[in-house]
Amino acid sequence: MTSQIDTMTPRWNAQGLIPAVAQDAESGEVLMLAWMNEEALRLTLVEKRAVYWSRSRAALWRKGETSGHIQRLVDIKLDCDGDTLLLKVEQTGAACHTGRYSCFFYGHTGDTWVAEGDTP
């Protein structure tokens, strides 16, 4: 017999971050992986758009703030361990900084990773 836990809180890593997977709410396609701190998560919930923590810039990053490629929050889930977020979003434009819709476009062929699909 297993017990069900009705509530969960995010489990932040040693740097105070949690991975956040962005998924197209309509197609289910995985778009990108980013990181959130508590403030990014709070702002995402309040603003109903994806706000991440940029590890390279050590600053909050509102997805699409400069490019216009925003992610409108449709739903958000916390996984069973509390250590990963899933954001279901409506993506405007490209999710990837390369200009592709998804950041996951390298397929494994033989012993090589090869870009698949249309190039931006």
Side-chain angles (χ1 to χ4, degrees), residues 38-112:
E38 285 190 70
E39 180 69 0
L41 177 56
R42 186 189 71 74
L43 289 170
T44 295
L45 294 171
V46 168
E47 297 178 11
K48 302 294 187 216
R49 64 174 284 181
V51 179
Y52 300 111
W53 177 257
S54 171
R55 294 180 300 166
S56 62
R57 294 187 302 265
L60 289 172
W61 157 45
R62 284 176 172 78
K63 179 69 177 152
E65 193 167 47
T66 56
S67 67
H69 297 170
I70 65 168
Q71 293 175 339
R72 189 184 73 75
L73 185 66
V74 174
D75 194 14
I76 188 167
K77 304 286 186 192
L78 185 61
D79 80 334
C80 61
D81 295 320
D83 61 3
T84 303
L85 292 166
L86 174 65
L87 282 69
K88 295 185 179 189
V89 300
E90 284 181 3
Q91 177 68 49
T92 300
C96 186
H97 71 277
T98 65
R100 292 178 184 255
Y101 188 67
S102 170
C103 293
F104 296 93
F105 57 87
Y106 284 100
H108 191 257
T109 305
D111 61 353
T112 308

Side-chain angles (χ1 to χ4, degrees), residues 4-16:
Q4 180 178 356
I5 300 173
D6 292 330
T7 63
M8 176 68 72
T9 56
R11 295 184 186 185
W12 311 97
N13 69 13
Q15 293 77 40

